[in-house]
Amino acid sequence: MGISLKRWLLNAIGGPRIEEVSCRELFQAAEEYRIRELAFWCCVNLIANAIGRCEFRTFLHGREVREAEYYRWNVEPNINQSSTVFLHKMVAKLYQENEALIVSARVHNGRETLVVADDWQEPAAYPSRQNEYRQVTVGESSFGTVRESAAIHLTLNYCDIAPVIKGIYESYVKLLSAAMKNYTWSNGQHWKVHVSQMASGKDGWAESFQKQIDAQIRPFLNNNSGILPEMDGWLYENVGKNTEAGQDTSHIRSLVNDIFDFTANGFQIPPVLLRGQVEGTADAYGRFLSHCIDPLAEQLSEEITRKIYGYDGWIGQSYLRVDTSAIQHFDLFENAANIEKLIGSGYSYNDVQRAAGGREIDEPWANEHFITKNFAKAESEVKGEKTS
């Protein structure tokens, strides 16, 4: 999925060989490819937009900091891309190739930069030594060989699910093609002309009949309005209008929705989100975050932490965590009562501001934690003790 049209056509004919293809077959393949790509990129863009809204929070010795590493992941990973564009490319490569490789580029303004590799040669599997990614390229630049410790390597699934989805899709393409042909035929003009035996038995009748169709009958069928001459011995009957076949495209849309549904399921995305439906989106969005975004954010957090901070940094409470709490839109006024409960339960003012996407306040009181007096230990309540 998500491969180039050239590669897709090569796969369709079983490899790079000479194959005669008619213009009609080529256009049909292009139409099928567009439906397939639409479903694929709708899923990828939904995930990329969600990851782009995440905050990459950096911690140093247990204290949250916003320094060079924070800036690199949240603002400017390299001189040519913002973090949002960078993460969109990363997600696209991850779902196109089932893996993505991030390597270090040249230092800019004293800071190391990161780029997403376009291509590389898969390393041999050595469990006891570092992998080496050879012929790593980004655009027109070559990075040669990059060792595992110097790269951030992400893998989507242990087994690539794209071929499975492709196989299901190819089955649906046949149904979709049949539905489109049925719709076109059912809503087209199909006429039967009965000509008397006397007229049809004359010499040169077939040529005369064809000329009559081209001159008078065909313009009548192709125009929005027209006059059909009725001659003695000729009887016209419309045999193509099927009133039960459905005069709309609902059956075609149903098949297209099926393609979108199984593509979304392959991405762990609830189909209602991909269709843009409103009903049930609150529950669907929760499942989307839990099953699709959170595992990806967790893999990012682990890979970045182990490659940048290592064990010594991690044991010293230095790490990076991808925070997905900012993905969903947060309305302060709608959640005012919940905010009050959070602050009364030990969350600081700045904790709430961060979760709401607001600006933190650089004041000591904004980082203080409060507990309402309504809370007491369970054993105290059982014994009837008073709480201060």
Side-chain angles (χ1 to χ4, degrees), residues 95 109 178 259 266 287 310 379:
Y95 281 90
N109 291 336
I259 293 174
R287 287 186 286 123
E379 58 267 25

Side-chain angles (χ1 to χ4, degrees), residues 106-171:
R106 64 177 58 184
V107 175
H108 174 63
N109 291 336
R111 293 188 302 271
E112 188 179 9
T113 59
L114 299 172
V115 290
V116 179
D118 291 319
D119 197 14
W120 65 90
Q121 188 180 73
E122 282 300 308
Y126 296 110
S128 58
R129 73 181 193 187
Q130 289 192 53
N131 293 327
E132 292 183 348
Y133 303 94
R134 296 181 174 88
Q135 300 179 15
V136 178
T137 58
V138 181
E140 300 297 325
S141 301
S142 175
F143 288 76
T145 299
V146 179
R147 304 188 73 186
E148 182 69 38
S149 59
I152 295 173
H153 183 234
L154 304 171
T155 303
L156 183 61
N157 297 303
Y158 182 75
C159 294
D160 191 359
I161 197 174
V164 179
I165 296 177
K166 178 185 174 183
I168 299 174
Y169 169 79
E170 288 174 350
S171 299

